[in-house]
């Protein structure tokens, strides 16, 4: 379904794979500081932090899949079908619709700590954007430019904000279980393992990479959570922005869903429609798509962030092959 | 170490990932028809099929890692450390050094069937290119534009040419074992599996992609063989050359070795230095590198294939980011 | 650590493996109806259902590891180190020490439904049996002769009584997670699987039993939960008490911890000290030990169940080999 | 299908699980020294070493599944369906039918080294015992009281006698592959593993036994080969014959096939019909059956080994429960 990762390499890079069977028409959308953000049950925000990210726009409203703000806070919503539970509007609570949560947080939080405060009295309200556009079952990851990150899950038991020690999120099951499952992989490592299976017998290291033999490669959310965490944890730190963003996309690629591998309905396949990542400090938004392997970039600071209307860039989805002759 | 795949999509696409800890200085090299190909123990070939592929050049000799010829035959050499065994020059045999094998076959074979004939009396001779450049332990995959493919392995038991029903090759262990191991994965599928574990108990499909839960994700050659075969077998067929070559690189990406995950010596990591793929019919050679995610192309038919000197193109290794603003 | 299973075969058989690194001196203990059962914070029970099970006795108190009562209710306590949390004595609650829970339930419940009622206002109190004998971190399984079963877990979040649809319990993690993990094994089956991995390639069924290739065999609690559930779910129904109890012990044997495989401290190994199982209807308690593979039996109905003192039988731990010549 | 193990514990214990869907009517059979052993293509042996083992008897001929001789050599035949290939009788070779091989070796070899000599000119001939009793596709393990063992496989490529460094045999695939597969499990150990997956993150050891999390538990021959080898390699050494033989049966139990888990035809299930083990030095043959968990013993040295007729003991298949009250 989806995988989101924060990668630490001097600067911090945050983004996600969007895995789905249909392209919903997303664009790169900048919400400048003076674009009024309306909320169903909360006061409108007329002035706020500028936001850039991947989003669809309906009725002039940015329905962000993921984004980052000018303060270096990033946030992504990921499918959480099953445990996700939204509640009726509740008196005395900060009632936020699930589709409002990304702009709500990114508009006002300059750190994960501030995001946690914004969520401390929150109720994720079961409001649809419209009859046509029903609320999707989601959970969220929030990260900032100090490398901190949290997972936000609204389930039948209420709203949980979990510290996220690995900086990775995929999908169902609930986050504590995903985390606990990593313990099963304690022995998996980049180096070839010592022979503790039968120390008195010669068991040849017949291949490089035997230390990762038990790393999962499935499309399911548990497998992607394990693999993305491992890849991220061992990713090297580059010497430049280009090297880092390159490494970042390779991390996401380790859990890419290739076309044909995840059949979600007869002859209908989910795949990694796009991968994106932003430098949280610099406000540059990078992305690739399944169809276009070249990296594209939109720099929020090249726009007039004091504007009051959404700024959009179409997704470059055409494969441009560099013909050398 | 490496993964080679032939992908069927109307046309046939053949190429490989090169996984190594050092960049050996490879280039895109075209050997035109009248470049004399010298062999240590076999007659020189003054006229032959033109070849394009990834190669280093030493003493004006193309040491191809992989390549394709104008007749639509492709061939790649992959690490086979352990079982690989080359023999002393043997009277009455066609003695070919391991580093000569790719040009030897591609120069003269217009199909896999012809390649098999060329190998029917072959002896892979234990000759080094030079004192400095020792022969690497390799095995090979040969494929053609009908989709046929074979695996060539020279071990202590002699030379084996195996039909390759999956069109995939990685590394050690020997090919028949890699093939047999696939049987362990018979139940792995893109679709969510029926509950045959405990049919009377409700075991919810908590995630998409549970049908691939047992797909391996390791860097080792067994894991890559299984995953690449599965990905290839379920890859869709595109409607255009661009769509097919895009799909092809996604297949190779499913077994990409990210930096940091395969420690081959203390603090030294193998990774996927480049991925390449050629349309066997059209003679267009495409590649990407770890550092440069854009696809590059060199078309052999845009060159003078009647020439008598090697034609080389440098590998484009610089990440060109498409700045949208 | 431990595995408990209820097996359905006409009658119902309930019991467990006790996996530990030390033998605590357990015996087969019958608590007859008129043996006064004292509780620290609850009224004493002078008359109650008779109980048989494996227990240590301290200060004339039966500290049951597991047992069944004359009404066909069985209960076992299993290690739950980590999540287990007991609470201070709480006014208005039924405060029961963890070591009292098995006799408390078996003394008064004639069904799982009644056990649930007894637990509806319960608080598992953090009381030690004595300074020397500290409360162990446990969770419990309760089953009855209709085949119903529940899991009882007291964690920091409070007391949970979960319906147990598989009739199996091992150890940490919490029960809902153990249950969810079974979904990963939906495709595992006794029959050889169809080839859905690569339908167009011949992947020979080189071995019988390929349908269970992904069944785990580890000593850890997740592995044992999966394997015991699978074994139980596919166990045949016998035609006699002897055949059923034989089948029952084979189910437990599937998750036996052999000596040497589970090192819990340097050179100290946990293993399956005993396996037991009772016919819930007949009140016959059967057991084997690691040292003695013969099945032993104690029939509660052969005792005077109106008695007022504990009746104990020593565990037969000596291997009696049947010498045929 | 089957698993054979040699266990080192001061003395050496050798035997096997017989896994099958039908009981063939085996008995414990002693072939004394002067019982004439006839061979189809080799000279009869009128005097030879005495043998004890599990066997069916047809036309007064002992068709041993497995056995040991008075010199401390043990041998077992295990299913090898697929690779097994027997050859036409060949001039100049020692032509031995597959069903003759166990008596042929045990009659004359006082060590594994001598068995290898006996096999040095052997041809496993494709002769059936009778029209009704066709030759089964088998391979063999031979072990002796020094702990040495070899695997004997007759395939289309000829007869191979492999040194067996682990002293374990199951079924298909060929032995070198089974051995190589163990390398994938180098990191599996009885102790809880260090966290090398993500050293900077706290991944709690939530369960004992995490070091064996990746140990397989399937019924297939690869899974059993891995698990039996691991169990054997870490089995402790006992202080007495009883303790050792007890440990030995626990090793075999680790790969027991429970009824219901291995469906070989619709509603037909293979299971572990019997387990046996002999002290190679003492000539005592021990066994258990699926139906009878008590250990039975037959001591060859309590018989007149100079006799000339087969001596048989029926298999004790009735569960004798020790009633304690």
């Amino acid at each position: 379904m989806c995988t989101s990762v924060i990668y630490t390499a001097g600067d911090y890079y945050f983004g996600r794979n969007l895995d789905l069977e249909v392209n919903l028409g997303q664009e790169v959308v900048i919400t400048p500081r003076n674009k009024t953000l309306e909320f169903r049950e909360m006061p409108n925000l007329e002035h706020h932090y500028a936001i850039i990210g991947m989003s669809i726009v309906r009725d002039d409203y940015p329905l962000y899949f993921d984004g980052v703000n000018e303060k270096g806070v990033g946030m992504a919503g990921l499918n959480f079908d099953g445990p996700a539970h939204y509640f009726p509007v509740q008196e005395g609570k900060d009632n936020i619709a699930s589709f409002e949560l990304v702009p709500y947080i990114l508009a006002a939080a300059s750190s994960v700590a501030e995001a946690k405060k914004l969520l401390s009295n929150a109720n994720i309200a079961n409001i649809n954007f419209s009859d046509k556009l029903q609320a999707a079952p989601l959970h969220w990851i929030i990260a900032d430019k100090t490398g901190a990150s949290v997972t936000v899950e609204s389930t039948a038991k209420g709203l949980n904000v979990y510290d996220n020690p690995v900086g990775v999120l995929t999908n169902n099951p609930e986050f504590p279980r995903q985390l606990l499952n990593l313990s099963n992989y304690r022995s998996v490592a980049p180096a070839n393992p010592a022979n503790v299976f039968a120390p008195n017998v010669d068991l040849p290291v017949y291949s490089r990479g035997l230390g990762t033999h038990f790393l999962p490669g499935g499309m399911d959310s548990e497998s992607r959570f394990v693999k993305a965490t491992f890849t991220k944890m061992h990713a090297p730190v580059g010497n430049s922005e280009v090297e880092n963003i390159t490494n970042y996309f390779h991390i996401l690629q380790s859990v890419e869903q290739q076309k044909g591998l995840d059949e979600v309905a007869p002859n209908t396949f989910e795949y990694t429609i796009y991968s994106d990542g932003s430098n949280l400090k610099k406000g540059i938004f990078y992305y690739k798509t399944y169809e276009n392997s070249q990296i594209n970039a939109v720099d929020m600071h090249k726009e007039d962030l004091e504007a009051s209307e959404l700024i959009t860039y179409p997704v470059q989805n055409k494969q441009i092959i560099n013909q050398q002759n």
Side-chain angles (χ1 to χ4, degrees), chain A:
Chain A
M1 317 217 268
C2 292
T3 308
S4 179
V5 172
I6 175 167
Y7 160 58
T8 304
D11 286 1
Y12 292 89
Y13 298 84
F14 173 81
R16 65 100 63 81
N17 282 344
L18 184 97
D19 306 333
L20 219 56
E21 65 274 27
V22 285
N23 192 316
L24 299 170
Q26 60 277 355
E27 305 169 283
V28 182
V29 176
I30 296 170
T31 305
R33 292 174 193 138
N34 298 308
K35 159 73 186 173
T36 300
L37 281 171
E38 296 181 3
F39 299 101
R40 303 290 167 101
E41 301 286 331
M42 298 291 291
N44 290 353
L45 285 175
E46 288 176 7
H47 312 294
H48 51 76
Y49 298 139
I51 303 169
I52 186 169
M54 205 60 106
S55 180
I56 54 175
V57 177
R58 294 289 181 276
D59 304 340
D60 199 36
Y61 194 88
L63 295 161
Y64 278 108
F65 299 170
D66 53 85
V68 305
N69 70 17
E70 56 182 306
K71 293 295 179 182
V73 176
M75 185 169 178
L78 289 87
N79 199 292
F80 193 46
D81 205 355
H85 187 88
Y86 306 146
F87 294 86
V89 167
Q90 219 178 318
E91 192 82 24
K93 284 283 202 177
D94 296 339
N95 293 288
I96 310 148
S98 58
F99 60 84
E100 295 169 345
L101 196 60
V102 174
Y104 181 80
I105 295 293
L106 294 184
S110 72
S111 66
V112 163
E114 283 188 24
K116 284 165 90 165
K117 261 181 236 160
L118 284 169
L119 291 165
S120 61
N121 191 38
N123 176 51
I124 309 300
N126 56 2
I127 301 169
N128 294 323
F129 183 79
S130 66
D131 280 358
K132 267 192 170 172
L133 203 55
Q134 306 272 321
L138 300 175
H139 60 171
W140 296 268
I141 180 171
I142 309 174
D144 69 23
K145 67 184 172 197
T146 72
S149 84
V150 291
T151 297
V152 181
E153 298 188 339
S154 180
T155 70
K157 289 184 196 153
L159 186 65
N160 283 296
V161 180
Y162 301 107
D163 284 338
N164 187 328
V166 295
V168 173
L169 190 65
T170 61
N171 311 98
N172 193 2
E174 301 181 31
F175 188 66
R177 185 196 142 97
Q178 291 276 27
L179 216 47
L180 190 64
N181 186 43
L182 295 180
S183 293
N184 292 324
Y185 296 87
R186 287 171 59 97
S187 64
V188 169
N192 264 312
N195 171 14
V196 285
F197 178 87
N200 298 325
V201 180
D202 179 33
L203 300 178
V205 177
Y206 73 85
S207 168
R208 292 173 164 201
L210 286 181
T212 52
H213 184 73
F214 297 114
L215 209 54
M219 301 299 114
D220 58 300
S221 54
E222 264 198 21
S223 296
R224 282 182 285 107
F225 191 82
V226 174
K227 183 142 193 204
T229 300
F230 183 75
T231 307
K232 172 213 150 141
M233 287 296 170
H234 296 281
V237 173
N239 294 311
S240 67
E241 176 75 357
V242 169
E243 197 178 338
N244 283 337
I245 201 67
T246 299
N247 284 343
Y248 183 75
F249 280 111
H250 281 291
I251 296 171
L252 287 182
Q253 231 156 259
S254 72
V255 288
E256 182 186 67
Q257 296 195 207
Q258 284 78 26
K259 282 186 178 175
L261 303 199
D262 193 355
E263 193 171 13
V264 297
N267 226 22
T268 303
F269 296 88
E270 180 176 281
Y271 65 100
T272 298
I273 291 177
Y274 71 79
S275 306
D276 66 25
S278 294
N279 182 320
L280 289 177
K281 225 151 78 183
K282 295 189 178 157
I284 308 173
F285 178 87
Y286 302 92
Y287 71 90
K288 294 168 61 180
T289 72
Y290 200 85
E291 281 75 20
N292 178 12
S293 60
Q294 192 179 13
I295 299 172
N296 301 277
V298 179
D299 183 344
M300 81 190 299
H301 295 294
K302 288 192 180 156
E303 305 297 326
D304 175 12
L305 295 182
E306 292 295 332
S308 57
E309 293 302 324
L310 296 179
I311 303 158
T312 65
Y313 281 88
V315 166
Q316 297 300 311
N317 211 21
K318 200 178 164 221
Q319 189 74 279
I320 306 295
I321 293 175
N322 174 39
Q323 311 285 352
Q324 285 189 259
N325 71 353

